[in-house]
Amino acid sequence: MTSASLPVVRRVFAALVALLAAVLLLPVTAQAQDANIAARLLVEGPVAKGGETRIAIEFSPKSAEWHGYWSNPGDAGLGMQVEWDLPAGVTIGDFHYPPPQTLLIGGLMNHVFEGDYAVVAPLRVASDAAVDGPFELIGKAFYLACTDKICVPQEARLRAVVGFGAGEQDSRFAAFQSALAAPLDQPARFTVEGDNLRIAIPLPASLDVGAPHVFVGTRELVRYAAPQRFARAGDVLVAEIPLAEGVAMPASLSGIVRLGDGTGLQFEGAPGTVPTGGEPIRMGSDLPPWWALLGAALLGGLILNIMPCVFPILSLKALSLAKAGGSEASARKDALAYTAGVVLACLALGGLLLVLRASGEAVGWAFQLQEPGVVVALFLLAVALTANFLGAFEIPGMAITGGGASGRGSFATGLLAAFVATPCTGPFMAAALGAALVLPWPLALGLFAALGLGIALPFLLVGFVPAIRRRLPKPGKWMETFRRWMALPMGLTALALGWLVWRIGGWNWLAIVVTLGALVVAMLVQAGRAQRASRPALLYGLSLAATAAFALLVIPEPTPPAAQADMLDSQPFSEAALAKARAENRPVFLYFTADWCLTCKVNESVAIETEASAQALDGADAAVLRGDWTRRDPAITAFLTQQGVAGVPLYLWYAPGANAPQRLPQVLTPQVLPELATASAQPDDSSR
């Protein structure tokens, strides 16, 4: 053999050795064929000195019930660990993971992988590595395989041969790579505010993030099972995650944000400024079609007409139109003026709500009632309307004793009807108003307009359908009696608002407000006398407005009375309390209420604060959490937004071990809570 042929022989020999090694040392799976999750080591392709390739560990559960874990497994579980036996000069970097899934069991949040998945890491060979040809990788992987009922530690012996020089690439790595969480090219920023970790993740505003979830890489930094809140601030996705107890602000942060379509992005972050405000992201299910939301808003507004604060105004307005008689054109004009007032008021309130939320204010529907000054103004308004119904004075456009309807009076009455209707959130309204908080503003304003149209619809029909007007009773003395009877529900509304004033500020504050109300009534009575004597009443009106404005400016800040124990022994809502109760694997009844919410108070008296509900919940060892939204509470507002609603009431039932709560209807029956509690108290044979 000539010396010239030696290089050729060596190359052939090396190729044969590599081929033999590839055949004999194929990647092997876990230590036993009956492994619950098998693991095998793969190499993308050959590598030269000073070069780099990639390796992957591919995991394959033996059935769909088994799952593996992310590097930070969450509240329970175990992340993968690998022990390598490598030649000198060969190193393996950190493994990169696909975006995991969340698994909530018994109030504990785990970060898991279901089905086949692979993790990928770089393999580097130094220029002075002690390898001159194909070499073997040997390692042991320690990980956990779990079902919903059992966890089994796994140990897999990993082995593969790394080719040397040039060669073909394993095509499977393209699929592995596409499943990984892609790294962001810009750093994230994070800060700690109160009990929350806030992260600013750079994402283009054009990217649809769906319902995201952040997986934080640092263990025991956040409460994994606590709800996460998200908002859009331009090209930044802002995440707010409750911190674990007693943790300090970390020096750095890493993790994966999983988007609604299942893809993920890997981020690295450093302390910095995180934007406030922004547009909250709804975390519930997909929104219904816009036309369905319009119908819900319309029906919700229609139902508001039977509320005790709106019904008297609507009734007297319709009767004033019937008494006025007049042409059909006049009736339609009056109905349109009333409708315009209602719709404009709803658009104004809805537009203000959207502007405040966009500026970072944590507000929801009926937000104005969380301000004591507005409650006092409503109380005085209810007192004034009660005096009007009793005949103390007249409101143009509502009067049934004199000149009848007018366009300006009808418009003002529409504004009034919409304003006094805002304390209520009835059936059909929750979904529509919740969607309005996340829809583009033109579509959101369309929903508020539909709500106003629903409130105005009965009177609009009276004005445009002559057959309805003909069916109204003929004018007579009975109308004055009916008007005085309408003072009863409006007076009850005033009493309810007086009770709300007491709930907000206590007895001293109520005494001040009642004194102011008495002064208002006295001025209105004098104005009524001037009206009946055909004397100008404008001076009385100006004096009344000046007195009310001055009183609202100088009235002291209210001091709420001490909280009273309830029949259910409920605890104040907080995300920490909710996470703690769910971690104890107890059923949880969570309800949000407000003292100004009529529907809430009816439900509490009929279905919640009852002996049957209390006994059933106590027998099921259920935790009861109560979110009081009477005064503004940013934490409650954020939670309501996350649930896709804009106001109260909201009733949620968390069954033990359930991944998501069951949303109860807004109108509860006495049997709802006892039936849920009884079902939760019964043993579940399937879990044994």
Side-chain angles (χ1 to χ4, degrees), residues 568 570-571 578 581 586-592 604 607-609 613 617 622-627 650-655 662 664 668 672-673 676:
L568 302 184
S570 63
Q571 301 300 314
L578 176 60
R586 301 170 61 190
V588 180
F589 174 52
L590 170 60
Y591 70 104
F592 294 90
E604 287 164 26
I608 299 177
E609 293 279 345
S613 294
L617 291 170
V624 180
L625 301 180
R626 182 177 186 268
L650 175 65
Y651 306 108
L652 300 176
W653 177 265
Y654 293 84
Q662 175 185 351
L664 307 182
L668 299 178
V672 169
L673 290 179
L676 288 170

Side-chain angles (χ1 to χ4, degrees), residues 363-381:
V363 294
W365 183 246
F367 64 94
Q368 68 274 22
L369 295 176
Q370 296 172 327
E371 300 298 330
V374 175
V375 175
V376 172
L378 274 176
F379 171 75
L380 297 178
L381 178 61

Side-chain angles (χ1 to χ4, degrees), residues 354-503:
L354 296 177
V355 169
L356 290 175
R357 290 182 68 89
S359 64
E361 294 289 333
V363 294
W365 183 246
F367 64 94
Q368 68 274 22
L369 295 176
Q370 296 172 327
E371 300 298 330
V374 175
V375 175
V376 172
L378 274 176
F379 171 75
L380 297 178
L381 178 61
V383 170
L385 288 174
T386 303
N388 170 261
F389 293 165
L390 290 173
F393 67 100
E394 307 298 341
I395 297 178
M398 190 183 293
I400 62 173
T401 59
S406 69
R408 286 182 298 178
S410 296
F411 179 80
T413 305
L415 292 174
L416 177 64
F419 187 70
V420 299
T422 55
C424 305
T425 301
F428 303 105
M429 284 181 61
L433 296 182
L437 301 183
V438 297
L439 286 172
W441 69 266
L443 301 181
L445 290 180
L447 296 181
F448 289 116
L451 176 67
L453 182 61
I455 297 174
L457 188 58
F459 187 59
L460 196 63
L461 293 175
V462 171
F464 275 78
V465 182
I468 297 179
R469 292 201 306 276
R470 288 194 296 268
R471 290 180 179 274
L472 293 176
K474 299 298 181 183
K477 291 184 178 180
W478 69 269
M479 297 181 70
E480 182 63 31
T481 304
F482 178 79
R483 168 181 170 164
R484 295 183 185 278
W485 273 108
M486 286 297 98
L488 179 60
M490 186 55 67
L492 292 175
T493 300
L495 287 176
L497 288 168
W499 174 80
L500 178 56
V501 169
W502 169 76
R503 289 283 295 167

Side-chain angles (χ1 to χ4, degrees), residues 21-379:
V23 172
L24 295 178
L25 300 176
L26 287 174
V28 297
T29 60
Q31 76 279 11
Q33 291 183 353
D34 60 351
N36 300 305
I37 300 181
R40 64 171 178 171
L41 180 62
L42 302 172
V43 180
E44 184 176 18
V47 64
K49 285 189 175 183
E52 179 178 317
T53 187
R54 294 184 299 179
I55 64 170
I57 302 178
E58 186 178 33
F59 295 92
S60 301
K62 68 178 183 181
S63 63
E65 63 180 342
W66 294 93
H67 59 259
Y69 289 89
W70 187 47
S71 56
N72 180 357
D75 286 314
L78 179 69
M80 179 190 70
Q81 298 177 348
V82 182
E83 296 178 356
W84 294 108
D85 183 8
L86 302 174
V90 176
T91 58
I92 295 175
D94 294 333
F95 279 96
H96 297 274
Y97 287 76
Q101 301 171 345
T102 58
L103 177 63
L104 189 64
I105 301 178
L108 300 178
M109 176 75 75
N110 300 321
H111 306 152
V112 304
F113 297 104
E114 297 177 342
D116 295 346
Y117 67 98
V119 297
V120 179
L123 182 145
R124 302 179 181 91
V125 178
S127 57
D128 59 349
V131 292
D132 293 314
F135 59 92
E136 188 176 19
L137 287 182
I138 298 176
K140 284 185 179 180
F142 303 91
Y143 54 98
L144 202 60
C146 294
T147 68
D148 293 348
K149 300 179 178 64
I150 188 174
C151 285
V152 180
Q154 308 281 280
E155 178 181 332
R157 293 189 295 272
L158 306 175
R159 181 180 298 174
V161 170
V162 181
F164 199 73
E168 294 185 359
Q169 305 293 307
D170 191 331
S171 60
R172 289 171 291 185
F173 275 75
F176 295 160
Q177 181 66 36
S178 65
L180 300 180
L184 290 173
D185 58 358
Q186 299 180 54
R189 303 184 303 277
F190 69 92
T191 187
V192 171
E193 294 184 6
D195 295 330
N196 294 310
L197 173 69
R198 302 186 70 246
I199 312 172
I201 304 172
L203 292 177
S206 58
L207 178 64
D208 182 10
V209 298
H213 187 90
V214 170
F215 298 89
V216 177
T218 305
R219 293 211 61 176
E220 300 179 353
L221 176 64
V222 299
R223 298 205 304 269
Y224 304 112
Q228 299 182 356
R229 297 194 292 268
F230 294 89
R232 265 296 195 179
D235 290 329
V236 173
L237 175 67
V238 178
E240 188 170 300
I241 310 171
L243 287 166
E245 294 184 5
V247 299
M249 182 169 175
S252 61
L253 189 71
S254 64
I256 292 176
V257 53
R258 182 185 177 97
L259 307 182
D261 61 1
T263 62
L265 298 166
Q266 181 180 337
F267 64 87
E268 303 285 339
T273 302
V274 178
T276 58
E279 182 180 351
I281 294 177
R282 175 189 171 102
M283 297 300 293
S285 57
D286 294 337
L287 292 176
W290 190 61
W291 61 265
L293 294 172
L294 282 176
L298 185 71
L299 287 174
L302 184 63
I303 292 174
L304 287 183
N305 285 287
I306 63 175
M307 296 298 178
C309 48
V310 181
F311 180 71
I313 297 175
L314 174 67
S315 301
L316 293 181
K317 186 61 192 156
L319 291 177
S320 70
L321 179 62
K323 184 180 188 301
S327 65
E328 186 172 333
S330 176
R332 291 181 177 181
K333 179 181 177 181
D334 201 51
L336 288 174
Y338 175 82
T339 302
V342 174
V343 172
L344 181 62
C346 288
L347 284 174
L349 288 171
L352 181 59
L353 170 63
L354 296 177
V355 169
L356 290 175
R357 290 182 68 89
S359 64
E361 294 289 333
V363 294
W365 183 246
F367 64 94
Q368 68 274 22
L369 295 176
Q370 296 172 327
E371 300 298 330
V374 175
V375 175
V376 172
L378 274 176
F379 171 75

